[in-house]
Amino acid sequence: MSQYIYIKFDIKHHGCWSSFSTHNYFDTLINIDYSTFDVLKARRLAIIRGSKDDGKAQIKSMLNNDKSIIDHEISEILTKNRYSIYIISMLQAIESTVIGKLKMHDVILLNTNIYDGKESYEIIGTKTLKTVISSKLTDDRIHILNLVYEYVDEEKIIKILSRNIAKMLLTEKEQLILRKAKELGYLDIPRRKNLEEIAKELGTSKMNLSLSLRKILKKFSNLA
């Protein structure tokens, strides 16, 4: 049996810029570097849904609320009618970050993102991490909302690596539809519920649901 385990946890990090994010903001970490001066250099890919005029100002306001951020730069990559995508580069005091706390325990950071005031982490590490996270990670600023330990397998790794694609591509409504279709067995073979039954659960018409599922499928097919 492997000595490594998969750990997923969400936190509310009071006073951190992440705690000021809202439901229209989602980001994922794409690069980190540790300097010799106890500074964490991070780059994040962020998407903001809504008015394009407010996106950059929203991110700047979030970052300015965190006194541990030494410097930052916000670059707009793409703007559409309903969303904008940015690269956020920042320098932050490492002792104020969860990543900094995890670094000393030799973890493999698979995924970390910020959404609706919460930070989410998915890591692989040794079994001793169970004690580390539940005891040493929590302090007066960090509140763990949930903590999941599971054994590592191939299917889980693939899911982790692909999960952010869905979050970036799909709207909240589309994510809800896909999640409900999965929960109710529409994606099973054979299907446990048909399209009409799923539509009833979601309070929409069979036609609208069919169109939504086709849009979702098209977004994923465009990646091929």
Short mmCIF file of all heavy atoms in Angstrom, two decimals, residues 5-14 16-19 26-29 32 34 40 42 44 66 90 92 94 96-103 107-115 117-124 129 133 137 142-149 156 160 163-164 167:
data_model
loop_
_atom_site.label_atom_id
_atom_site.label_comp_id
_atom_site.label_asym_id
_atom_site.label_seq_id
_atom_site.Cartn_x
_atom_site.Cartn_y
_atom_site.Cartn_z
N ILE A 5 -0.88 9.78 0.51
CA ILE A 5 -2.33 9.95 0.52
C ILE A 5 -2.70 11.26 -0.18
O ILE A 5 -1.88 12.18 -0.30
CB ILE A 5 -2.90 9.96 1.95
CG1 ILE A 5 -2.24 11.07 2.79
CG2 ILE A 5 -2.77 8.62 2.62
CD1 ILE A 5 -2.86 11.25 4.16
N TYR A 6 -3.92 11.29 -0.64
CA TYR A 6 -4.50 12.49 -1.26
C TYR A 6 -5.28 13.24 -0.18
O TYR A 6 -6.04 12.65 0.58
CB TYR A 6 -5.42 12.09 -2.40
CG TYR A 6 -6.42 13.15 -2.82
CD1 TYR A 6 -6.04 14.21 -3.63
CD2 TYR A 6 -7.74 13.08 -2.39
CE1 TYR A 6 -6.97 15.17 -4.02
CE2 TYR A 6 -8.67 14.03 -2.79
CZ TYR A 6 -8.28 15.08 -3.59
OH TYR A 6 -9.19 16.03 -3.96
N ILE A 7 -5.05 14.55 -0.11
CA ILE A 7 -5.73 15.37 0.89
C ILE A 7 -6.36 16.57 0.21
O ILE A 7 -5.72 17.27 -0.57
CB ILE A 7 -4.75 15.87 1.98
CG1 ILE A 7 -4.04 14.68 2.64
CG2 ILE A 7 -5.49 16.70 3.03
CD1 ILE A 7 -2.99 15.10 3.64
N LYS A 8 -7.62 16.79 0.49
CA LYS A 8 -8.34 17.97 -0.01
C LYS A 8 -8.92 18.71 1.17
O LYS A 8 -9.51 18.11 2.07
CB LYS A 8 -9.47 17.55 -0.97
CG LYS A 8 -10.25 18.72 -1.54
CD LYS A 8 -11.39 18.24 -2.44
CE LYS A 8 -12.09 19.40 -3.14
NZ LYS A 8 -12.62 20.41 -2.21
N PHE A 9 -8.73 20.03 1.17
CA PHE A 9 -9.33 20.83 2.23
C PHE A 9 -9.64 22.24 1.74
O PHE A 9 -8.96 22.77 0.86
CB PHE A 9 -8.45 20.87 3.48
CG PHE A 9 -7.07 21.45 3.27
CD1 PHE A 9 -6.79 22.78 3.56
CD2 PHE A 9 -6.04 20.65 2.81
CE1 PHE A 9 -5.52 23.31 3.38
CE2 PHE A 9 -4.76 21.17 2.62
CZ PHE A 9 -4.51 22.50 2.92
N ASP A 10 -10.69 22.81 2.28
CA ASP A 10 -11.08 24.20 2.02
C ASP A 10 -10.89 24.98 3.31
O ASP A 10 -11.11 24.46 4.41
CB ASP A 10 -12.54 24.30 1.59
CG ASP A 10 -12.82 23.55 0.31
OD1 ASP A 10 -11.88 23.38 -0.49
OD2 ASP A 10 -13.97 23.13 0.11
N ILE A 11 -10.49 26.23 3.17
CA ILE A 11 -10.31 27.06 4.36
C ILE A 11 -10.90 28.45 4.14
O ILE A 11 -11.07 28.91 3.01
CB ILE A 11 -8.82 27.22 4.75
CG1 ILE A 11 -8.06 28.01 3.66
CG2 ILE A 11 -8.16 25.89 5.01
CD1 ILE A 11 -6.67 28.44 4.08
N LYS A 12 -11.22 29.07 5.24
CA LYS A 12 -11.53 30.50 5.27
C LYS A 12 -10.33 31.17 5.91
O LYS A 12 -10.01 30.89 7.07
CB LYS A 12 -12.80 30.75 6.09
CG LYS A 12 -13.29 32.19 6.05
CD LYS A 12 -13.92 32.53 4.72
CE LYS A 12 -14.54 33.93 4.75
NZ LYS A 12 -15.17 34.29 3.47
N HIS A 13 -9.63 31.98 5.16
CA HIS A 13 -8.38 32.59 5.61
C HIS A 13 -8.64 34.06 5.94
O HIS A 13 -8.53 34.93 5.09
CB HIS A 13 -7.32 32.46 4.51
CG HIS A 13 -5.93 32.67 4.98
ND1 HIS A 13 -4.83 32.32 4.23
CD2 HIS A 13 -5.44 33.17 6.13
CE1 HIS A 13 -3.73 32.62 4.88
NE2 HIS A 13 -4.07 33.16 6.03
N HIS A 14 -9.02 34.33 7.15
CA HIS A 14 -9.42 35.67 7.56
C HIS A 14 -8.26 36.67 7.44
O HIS A 14 -7.14 36.39 7.86
CB HIS A 14 -9.93 35.65 9.00
CG HIS A 14 -11.11 34.75 9.20
ND1 HIS A 14 -12.37 35.08 8.76
CD2 HIS A 14 -11.21 33.51 9.76
CE1 HIS A 14 -13.20 34.10 9.05
NE2 HIS A 14 -12.53 33.13 9.65
N CYS A 16 -6.78 37.47 4.76
CA CYS A 16 -6.09 37.23 3.50
C CYS A 16 -6.94 37.78 2.36
O CYS A 16 -8.17 37.86 2.46
CB CYS A 16 -5.86 35.74 3.31
SG CYS A 16 -5.05 35.30 1.74
N TRP A 17 -6.30 38.15 1.27
CA TRP A 17 -7.04 38.72 0.14
C TRP A 17 -8.09 37.75 -0.39
O TRP A 17 -9.12 38.17 -0.92
CB TRP A 17 -6.07 39.13 -0.96
CG TRP A 17 -5.38 37.99 -1.66
CD1 TRP A 17 -4.26 37.33 -1.24
CD2 TRP A 17 -5.76 37.39 -2.89
NE1 TRP A 17 -3.93 36.34 -2.13
CE2 TRP A 17 -4.82 36.37 -3.15
CE3 TRP A 17 -6.78 37.62 -3.80
CZ2 TRP A 17 -4.88 35.57 -4.29
CZ3 TRP A 17 -6.85 36.83 -4.93
CH2 TRP A 17 -5.91 35.82 -5.17
N SER A 18 -7.85 36.45 -0.23
CA SER A 18 -8.81 35.46 -0.71
C SER A 18 -10.17 35.59 -0.04
O SER A 18 -11.20 35.28 -0.65
CB SER A 18 -8.26 34.04 -0.47
OG SER A 18 -8.10 33.80 0.92
N SER A 19 -10.18 36.03 1.21
CA SER A 19 -11.45 36.13 1.95
C SER A 19 -12.34 37.24 1.42
O SER A 19 -13.52 37.32 1.78
CB SER A 19 -11.17 36.35 3.45
OG SER A 19 -10.53 37.59 3.67
N PHE A 26 -13.11 33.48 -9.77
CA PHE A 26 -12.48 32.18 -9.61
C PHE A 26 -11.05 32.28 -10.12
O PHE A 26 -10.79 32.91 -11.14
CB PHE A 26 -13.22 31.10 -10.40
CG PHE A 26 -12.49 29.78 -10.43
CD1 PHE A 26 -12.62 28.90 -9.37
CD2 PHE A 26 -11.67 29.45 -11.49
CE1 PHE A 26 -11.93 27.69 -9.37
CE2 PHE A 26 -10.98 28.25 -11.50
CZ PHE A 26 -11.12 27.37 -10.44
N ASP A 27 -10.11 31.68 -9.39
CA ASP A 27 -8.74 31.65 -9.90
C ASP A 27 -8.08 30.33 -9.56
O ASP A 27 -8.57 29.55 -8.73
CB ASP A 27 -7.91 32.84 -9.42
CG ASP A 27 -7.33 32.68 -8.01
OD1 ASP A 27 -7.31 31.57 -7.47
OD2 ASP A 27 -6.89 33.69 -7.45
N THR A 28 -6.97 30.07 -10.23
CA THR A 28 -6.17 28.88 -9.96
C THR A 28 -4.69 29.26 -10.02
O THR A 28 -4.29 30.12 -10.82
CB THR A 28 -6.49 27.75 -10.96
OG1 THR A 28 -5.82 26.56 -10.55
CG2 THR A 28 -6.05 28.11 -12.37
N LEU A 29 -3.91 28.66 -9.14
CA LEU A 29 -2.47 28.93 -9.09
C LEU A 29 -1.79 28.26 -10.26
O LEU A 29 -2.01 27.06 -10.52
CB LEU A 29 -1.91 28.41 -7.77
CG LEU A 29 -0.42 28.64 -7.52
CD1 LEU A 29 -0.14 30.12 -7.28
CD2 LEU A 29 0.06 27.81 -6.33
N ILE A 32 4.54 29.05 -8.75
CA ILE A 32 5.05 29.60 -7.49
C ILE A 32 6.57 29.50 -7.47
O ILE A 32 7.15 28.63 -8.11
CB ILE A 32 4.47 28.88 -6.26
CG1 ILE A 32 4.66 27.37 -6.34
CG2 ILE A 32 3.02 29.24 -6.04
CD1 ILE A 32 4.26 26.63 -5.08
N TYR A 34 9.93 30.40 -4.51
CA TYR A 34 10.28 30.83 -3.17
C TYR A 34 11.62 31.57 -3.22
O TYR A 34 12.63 31.01 -3.66
CB TYR A 34 10.40 29.64 -2.22
CG TYR A 34 9.18 28.75 -2.20
CD1 TYR A 34 9.14 27.60 -2.98
CD2 TYR A 34 8.08 29.05 -1.42
CE1 TYR A 34 8.03 26.77 -2.98
CE2 TYR A 34 6.96 28.23 -1.40
CZ TYR A 34 6.95 27.09 -2.18
OH TYR A 34 5.86 26.28 -2.17
N LEU A 40 7.10 34.81 -1.12
CA LEU A 40 6.49 33.89 -2.07
C LEU A 40 6.13 34.64 -3.34
O LEU A 40 5.44 35.66 -3.29
CB LEU A 40 5.23 33.26 -1.47
CG LEU A 40 4.45 32.29 -2.38
CD1 LEU A 40 5.24 31.00 -2.55
CD2 LEU A 40 3.07 32.01 -1.81
N ALA A 42 4.07 34.34 -6.69
CA ALA A 42 2.99 33.51 -7.23
C ALA A 42 2.35 34.17 -8.44
O ALA A 42 2.27 35.41 -8.54
CB ALA A 42 1.93 33.28 -6.15
N ARG A 44 -1.28 33.67 -10.73
CA ARG A 44 -2.59 33.02 -10.73
C ARG A 44 -3.35 33.42 -11.98
O ARG A 44 -3.22 34.55 -12.47
CB ARG A 44 -3.37 33.41 -9.48
CG ARG A 44 -2.61 33.27 -8.18
CD ARG A 44 -3.50 33.50 -6.97
NE ARG A 44 -4.39 32.37 -6.74
CZ ARG A 44 -4.13 31.38 -5.89
NH1 ARG A 44 -3.01 31.37 -5.20
NH2 ARG A 44 -4.99 30.39 -5.73
N ASP A 66 -5.01 42.99 1.82
CA ASP A 66 -4.08 42.06 2.47
C ASP A 66 -2.73 42.75 2.67
O ASP A 66 -2.01 43.01 1.72
CB ASP A 66 -3.92 40.81 1.60
CG ASP A 66 -3.17 39.70 2.31
OD1 ASP A 66 -2.40 40.00 3.24
OD2 ASP A 66 -3.34 38.53 1.93
N MET A 90 2.14 38.26 -7.96
CA MET A 90 2.25 38.91 -6.65
C MET A 90 3.44 38.42 -5.86
O MET A 90 3.94 37.31 -6.05
CB MET A 90 0.97 38.67 -5.84
CG MET A 90 0.75 37.23 -5.42
SD MET A 90 -0.68 37.06 -4.32
CE MET A 90 -2.00 37.32 -5.51
N GLN A 92 4.41 38.01 -1.82
CA GLN A 92 3.71 37.97 -0.54
C GLN A 92 4.63 37.38 0.52
O GLN A 92 5.42 36.47 0.25
CB GLN A 92 2.45 37.11 -0.67
CG GLN A 92 1.53 37.15 0.52
CD GLN A 92 0.21 36.42 0.25
OE1 GLN A 92 0.11 35.67 -0.72
NE2 GLN A 92 -0.78 36.63 1.08
N ILE A 94 5.92 34.99 2.95
CA ILE A 94 5.64 33.56 2.90
C ILE A 94 4.99 33.02 4.16
O ILE A 94 4.18 32.10 4.11
CB ILE A 94 6.95 32.78 2.58
CG1 ILE A 94 6.61 31.36 2.13
CG2 ILE A 94 7.91 32.79 3.76
CD1 ILE A 94 7.78 30.63 1.54
N SER A 96 2.73 34.23 5.84
CA SER A 96 1.30 34.54 5.87
C SER A 96 0.49 33.62 4.97
O SER A 96 -0.74 33.71 4.96
CB SER A 96 1.07 36.00 5.45
OG SER A 96 1.73 36.88 6.33
N THR A 97 1.16 32.75 4.22
CA THR A 97 0.46 31.92 3.24
C THR A 97 0.36 30.47 3.70
O THR A 97 1.22 29.95 4.40
CB THR A 97 1.20 31.94 1.89
OG1 THR A 97 2.46 31.28 2.03
CG2 THR A 97 1.43 33.37 1.42
N VAL A 98 -0.72 29.82 3.27
CA VAL A 98 -0.89 28.39 3.56
C VAL A 98 0.16 27.59 2.79
O VAL A 98 0.71 26.61 3.30
CB VAL A 98 -2.31 27.94 3.17
CG1 VAL A 98 -2.44 26.42 3.25
CG2 VAL A 98 -3.34 28.61 4.08
N ILE A 99 0.47 28.01 1.57
CA ILE A 99 1.48 27.32 0.78
C ILE A 99 2.82 27.33 1.50
O ILE A 99 3.55 26.34 1.52
CB ILE A 99 1.60 27.96 -0.62
CG1 ILE A 99 0.33 27.70 -1.43
CG2 ILE A 99 2.81 27.41 -1.37
CD1 ILE A 99 0.29 28.41 -2.76
N GLY A 100 3.14 28.45 2.13
CA GLY A 100 4.37 28.55 2.89
C GLY A 100 4.39 27.58 4.06
O GLY A 100 5.43 26.96 4.37
N LYS A 101 3.26 27.42 4.71
CA LYS A 101 3.16 26.48 5.84
C LYS A 101 3.29 25.03 5.37
O LYS A 101 3.84 24.17 6.06
CB LYS A 101 1.83 26.68 6.57
CG LYS A 101 1.68 28.05 7.24
CD LYS A 101 0.30 28.18 7.87
CE LYS A 101 0.04 29.59 8.40
NZ LYS A 101 0.90 29.90 9.56
N LEU A 102 2.77 24.74 4.16
CA LEU A 102 2.84 23.38 3.63
C LEU A 102 4.23 23.05 3.10
O LEU A 102 4.64 21.88 3.10
CB LEU A 102 1.82 23.22 2.50
CG LEU A 102 0.34 23.26 2.90
CD1 LEU A 102 -0.53 23.26 1.64
CD2 LEU A 102 -0.03 22.08 3.78
N LYS A 103 4.96 24.05 2.66
CA LYS A 103 6.26 23.84 2.01
C LYS A 103 7.22 23.04 2.88
O LYS A 103 7.94 22.17 2.41
CB LYS A 103 6.87 25.20 1.65
CG LYS A 103 8.26 25.13 1.04
CD LYS A 103 8.76 26.52 0.69
CE LYS A 103 10.16 26.47 0.06
NZ LYS A 103 11.18 26.07 1.05
N VAL A 107 5.18 18.60 0.55
CA VAL A 107 3.95 18.13 -0.10
C VAL A 107 4.04 18.35 -1.60
O VAL A 107 4.83 19.16 -2.09
CB VAL A 107 2.70 18.87 0.43
CG1 VAL A 107 2.63 18.75 1.94
CG2 VAL A 107 2.70 20.33 0.00
N ILE A 108 3.24 17.61 -2.34
CA ILE A 108 3.07 17.82 -3.77
C ILE A 108 1.77 18.59 -3.95
O ILE A 108 0.69 18.08 -3.63
CB ILE A 108 3.00 16.49 -4.54
CG1 ILE A 108 4.28 15.69 -4.32
CG2 ILE A 108 2.77 16.73 -6.02
CD1 ILE A 108 4.20 14.26 -4.85
N LEU A 109 1.87 19.82 -4.40
CA LEU A 109 0.69 20.66 -4.56
C LEU A 109 0.09 20.40 -5.94
O LEU A 109 0.64 20.75 -6.96
CB LEU A 109 1.09 22.13 -4.43
CG LEU A 109 -0.02 23.17 -4.45
CD1 LEU A 109 -0.96 22.97 -3.27
CD2 LEU A 109 0.56 24.58 -4.43
N LEU A 110 -1.08 19.76 -5.95
CA LEU A 110 -1.75 19.41 -7.21
C LEU A 110 -2.62 20.54 -7.73
O LEU A 110 -2.68 20.79 -8.92
CB LEU A 110 -2.61 18.17 -7.01
CG LEU A 110 -1.89 16.86 -6.67
CD1 LEU A 110 -2.90 15.78 -6.37
CD2 LEU A 110 -0.99 16.43 -7.82
N ASN A 111 -3.31 21.18 -6.81
CA ASN A 111 -4.29 22.17 -7.24
C ASN A 111 -4.62 23.10 -6.08
O ASN A 111 -4.76 22.66 -4.95
CB ASN A 111 -5.56 21.46 -7.71
CG ASN A 111 -6.60 22.41 -8.24
OD1 ASN A 111 -6.28 23.39 -8.90
ND2 ASN A 111 -7.86 22.14 -7.96
N THR A 112 -4.72 24.37 -6.37
CA THR A 112 -5.22 25.31 -5.38
C THR A 112 -5.95 26.44 -6.10
O THR A 112 -5.46 26.96 -7.10
CB THR A 112 -4.11 25.89 -4.48
OG1 THR A 112 -4.65 26.90 -3.64
CG2 THR A 112 -2.97 26.48 -5.29
N ASN A 113 -7.13 26.76 -5.62
CA ASN A 113 -7.88 27.85 -6.22
C ASN A 113 -8.64 28.64 -5.18
O ASN A 113 -8.74 28.22 -4.01
CB ASN A 113 -8.82 27.34 -7.32
CG ASN A 113 -9.75 26.26 -6.84
OD1 ASN A 113 -10.57 26.48 -5.96
ND2 ASN A 113 -9.63 25.08 -7.42
N ILE A 114 -9.16 29.76 -5.60
CA ILE A 114 -9.89 30.68 -4.73
C ILE A 114 -11.24 30.97 -5.36
O ILE A 114 -11.32 31.27 -6.56
CB ILE A 114 -9.10 31.99 -4.51
CG1 ILE A 114 -7.82 31.69 -3.73
CG2 ILE A 114 -9.95 33.03 -3.79
CD1 ILE A 114 -6.86 32.88 -3.65
N TYR A 115 -12.28 30.87 -4.53
CA TYR A 115 -13.63 31.11 -5.03
C TYR A 115 -14.54 31.46 -3.87
O TYR A 115 -14.54 30.77 -2.84
CB TYR A 115 -14.17 29.88 -5.77
CG TYR A 115 -15.62 29.96 -6.14
CD1 TYR A 115 -16.05 30.86 -7.12
CD2 TYR A 115 -16.58 29.17 -5.50
CE1 TYR A 115 -17.40 30.95 -7.46
CE2 TYR A 115 -17.92 29.26 -5.84
CZ TYR A 115 -18.33 30.15 -6.81
OH TYR A 115 -19.65 30.24 -7.14
N GLY A 117 -14.64 33.62 -1.44
CA GLY A 117 -14.11 33.83 -0.10
C GLY A 117 -13.40 32.65 0.51
O GLY A 117 -13.01 32.69 1.68
N LYS A 118 -13.21 31.57 -0.25
CA LYS A 118 -12.58 30.36 0.27
C LYS A 118 -11.35 29.97 -0.56
O LYS A 118 -11.31 30.21 -1.77
CB LYS A 118 -13.56 29.19 0.29
CG LYS A 118 -14.79 29.42 1.15
CD LYS A 118 -15.63 28.16 1.25
CE LYS A 118 -16.28 27.80 -0.07
NZ LYS A 118 -17.30 28.76 -0.49
N GLU A 119 -10.38 29.37 0.11
CA GLU A 119 -9.23 28.77 -0.56
C GLU A 119 -9.40 27.25 -0.55
O GLU A 119 -9.75 26.68 0.47
CB GLU A 119 -7.93 29.13 0.16
CG GLU A 119 -7.64 30.62 0.21
CD GLU A 119 -6.38 30.93 1.02
OE1 GLU A 119 -5.56 30.01 1.24
OE2 GLU A 119 -6.22 32.08 1.44
N SER A 120 -9.14 26.62 -1.70
CA SER A 120 -9.24 25.17 -1.80
C SER A 120 -7.88 24.60 -2.18
O SER A 120 -7.20 25.15 -3.05
CB SER A 120 -10.27 24.76 -2.85
OG SER A 120 -11.56 25.17 -2.47
N TYR A 121 -7.50 23.51 -1.53
CA TYR A 121 -6.20 22.88 -1.77
C TYR A 121 -6.38 21.39 -2.01
O TYR A 121 -7.18 20.74 -1.33
CB TYR A 121 -5.26 23.09 -0.58
CG TYR A 121 -4.89 24.52 -0.34
CD1 TYR A 121 -5.70 25.34 0.43
CD2 TYR A 121 -3.74 25.07 -0.91
CE1 TYR A 121 -5.38 26.68 0.64
CE2 TYR A 121 -3.41 26.40 -0.71
CZ TYR A 121 -4.23 27.20 0.06
OH TYR A 121 -3.92 28.52 0.26
N GLU A 122 -5.62 20.86 -2.96
CA GLU A 122 -5.54 19.44 -3.19
C GLU A 122 -4.06 19.08 -3.25
O GLU A 122 -3.32 19.61 -4.08
CB GLU A 122 -6.26 19.05 -4.48
CG GLU A 122 -7.76 19.24 -4.40
CD GLU A 122 -8.47 18.88 -5.68
OE1 GLU A 122 -8.46 19.71 -6.60
OE2 GLU A 122 -9.03 17.77 -5.76
N ILE A 123 -3.63 18.19 -2.36
CA ILE A 123 -2.21 17.88 -2.25
C ILE A 123 -2.02 16.37 -2.10
O ILE A 123 -2.94 15.64 -1.77
CB ILE A 123 -1.56 18.60 -1.05
CG1 ILE A 123 -2.21 18.12 0.27
CG2 ILE A 123 -1.67 20.11 -1.19
CD1 ILE A 123 -1.58 18.72 1.51
N ILE A 124 -0.80 15.94 -2.35
CA ILE A 124 -0.37 14.58 -2.06
C ILE A 124 0.80 14.66 -1.10
O ILE A 124 1.71 15.46 -1.29
CB ILE A 124 0.02 13.82 -3.35
CG1 ILE A 124 -1.22 13.51 -4.19
CG2 ILE A 124 0.76 12.53 -3.02
CD1 ILE A 124 -0.91 12.82 -5.49
N LEU A 129 0.84 13.81 7.26
CA LEU A 129 0.21 15.11 6.99
C LEU A 129 -1.15 15.25 7.65
O LEU A 129 -1.63 16.36 7.86
CB LEU A 129 0.07 15.34 5.49
CG LEU A 129 1.27 15.95 4.76
CD1 LEU A 129 1.01 16.03 3.29
CD2 LEU A 129 1.60 17.32 5.33
N ILE A 133 -1.89 18.99 9.19
CA ILE A 133 -2.92 19.92 8.72
C ILE A 133 -3.94 20.22 9.81
O ILE A 133 -4.30 21.38 10.03
CB ILE A 133 -3.60 19.35 7.47
CG1 ILE A 133 -2.61 19.34 6.30
CG2 ILE A 133 -4.83 20.17 7.09
CD1 ILE A 133 -3.12 18.71 5.05
N LEU A 137 -1.79 23.65 10.96
CA LEU A 137 -2.23 24.61 9.94
C LEU A 137 -3.24 25.60 10.50
O LEU A 137 -3.28 26.76 10.10
CB LEU A 137 -2.83 23.87 8.75
CG LEU A 137 -3.13 24.71 7.51
CD1 LEU A 137 -1.85 25.31 6.95
CD2 LEU A 137 -3.82 23.87 6.45
N ILE A 142 -6.92 31.08 10.29
CA ILE A 142 -7.26 30.03 9.35
C ILE A 142 -8.26 29.07 9.97
O ILE A 142 -8.02 28.48 11.02
CB ILE A 142 -6.00 29.25 8.92
CG1 ILE A 142 -5.01 30.18 8.21
CG2 ILE A 142 -6.38 28.09 8.00
CD1 ILE A 142 -3.69 29.52 7.86
N HIS A 143 -9.41 28.94 9.30
CA HIS A 143 -10.46 28.03 9.76
C HIS A 143 -10.70 26.99 8.68
O HIS A 143 -11.07 27.32 7.55
CB HIS A 143 -11.74 28.81 10.03
CG HIS A 143 -12.90 27.95 10.41
ND1 HIS A 143 -12.89 27.13 11.51
CD2 HIS A 143 -14.10 27.76 9.81
CE1 HIS A 143 -14.03 26.48 11.59
NE2 HIS A 143 -14.78 26.84 10.56
N ILE A 144 -10.46 25.71 9.00
CA ILE A 144 -10.66 24.63 8.04
C ILE A 144 -12.15 24.30 7.94
O ILE A 144 -12.79 23.97 8.94
CB ILE A 144 -9.87 23.38 8.44
CG1 ILE A 144 -8.36 23.69 8.41
CG2 ILE A 144 -10.17 22.21 7.48
CD1 ILE A 144 -7.48 22.53 8.82
N LEU A 145 -12.70 24.40 6.73
CA LEU A 145 -14.13 24.15 6.51
C LEU A 145 -14.41 22.67 6.30
O LEU A 145 -15.43 22.16 6.72
CB LEU A 145 -14.62 24.95 5.31
CG LEU A 145 -14.39 26.47 5.40
CD1 LEU A 145 -14.82 27.14 4.10
CD2 LEU A 145 -15.13 27.07 6.58
N ASN A 146 -13.54 21.98 5.60
CA ASN A 146 -13.67 20.53 5.46
C ASN A 146 -12.30 19.95 5.16
O ASN A 146 -11.42 20.63 4.66
CB ASN A 146 -14.69 20.14 4.38
CG ASN A 146 -14.31 20.72 3.03
OD1 ASN A 146 -13.32 20.30 2.43
ND2 ASN A 146 -15.10 21.66 2.52
N LEU A 147 -12.14 18.68 5.47
CA LEU A 147 -10.85 18.02 5.32
C LEU A 147 -11.10 16.57 4.92
O LEU A 147 -11.77 15.82 5.64
CB LEU A 147 -10.09 18.09 6.65
CG LEU A 147 -8.65 17.59 6.71
CD1 LEU A 147 -7.78 18.33 5.69
CD2 LEU A 147 -8.10 17.80 8.12
N VAL A 148 -10.57 16.18 3.75
CA VAL A 148 -10.82 14.84 3.22
C VAL A 148 -9.49 14.14 2.97
O VAL A 148 -8.58 14.71 2.36
CB VAL A 148 -11.61 14.91 1.89
CG1 VAL A 148 -11.78 13.52 1.28
CG2 VAL A 148 -12.97 15.57 2.12
N TYR A 149 -9.37 12.91 3.46
CA TYR A 149 -8.20 12.07 3.20
C TYR A 149 -8.63 10.86 2.38
O TYR A 149 -9.60 10.19 2.73
CB TYR A 149 -7.59 11.56 4.51
CG TYR A 149 -7.22 12.62 5.50
CD1 TYR A 149 -8.02 12.86 6.62
CD2 TYR A 149 -6.06 13.37 5.34
CE1 TYR A 149 -7.68 13.83 7.54
CE2 TYR A 149 -5.71 14.34 6.26
CZ TYR A 149 -6.52 14.57 7.35
OH TYR A 149 -6.18 15.52 8.26
N LYS A 156 -8.31 9.40 -9.65
CA LYS A 156 -8.37 10.60 -8.83
C LYS A 156 -7.41 11.68 -9.35
O LYS A 156 -7.74 12.85 -9.42
CB LYS A 156 -8.03 10.26 -7.38
CG LYS A 156 -8.27 11.43 -6.40
CD LYS A 156 -8.01 11.01 -4.98
CE LYS A 156 -8.84 9.82 -4.58
NZ LYS A 156 -10.29 10.08 -4.72
N ILE A 160 -8.43 15.46 -10.70
CA ILE A 160 -7.87 16.66 -10.08
C ILE A 160 -7.29 17.58 -11.15
O ILE A 160 -7.52 18.78 -11.16
CB ILE A 160 -6.78 16.28 -9.07
CG1 ILE A 160 -7.39 15.56 -7.87
CG2 ILE A 160 -6.02 17.53 -8.59
CD1 ILE A 160 -6.38 14.84 -7.01
N ARG A 163 -10.19 19.22 -13.29
CA ARG A 163 -11.32 19.89 -12.64
C ARG A 163 -11.36 21.38 -12.93
O ARG A 163 -12.43 21.96 -13.15
CB ARG A 163 -11.27 19.63 -11.13
CG ARG A 163 -12.53 20.09 -10.39
CD ARG A 163 -12.46 19.67 -8.94
NE ARG A 163 -12.44 18.22 -8.84
CZ ARG A 163 -11.63 17.56 -8.02
NH1 ARG A 163 -10.77 18.20 -7.27
NH2 ARG A 163 -11.68 16.24 -7.97
N ASN A 164 -10.22 22.04 -12.92
CA ASN A 164 -10.20 23.48 -13.14
C ASN A 164 -10.67 23.87 -14.54
O ASN A 164 -11.17 24.98 -14.74
CB ASN A 164 -8.80 24.04 -12.91
CG ASN A 164 -8.49 24.23 -11.44
OD1 ASN A 164 -9.39 24.20 -10.61
ND2 ASN A 164 -7.24 24.40 -11.11
N LYS A 167 -14.33 24.44 -14.33
CA LYS A 167 -14.65 25.65 -13.58
C LYS A 167 -14.38 26.91 -14.40
O LYS A 167 -15.09 27.90 -14.27
CB LYS A 167 -13.86 25.69 -12.28
CG LYS A 167 -14.34 24.66 -11.26
CD LYS A 167 -13.53 24.76 -9.97
CE LYS A 167 -14.02 23.74 -8.96
NZ LYS A 167 -13.22 23.79 -7.71
#
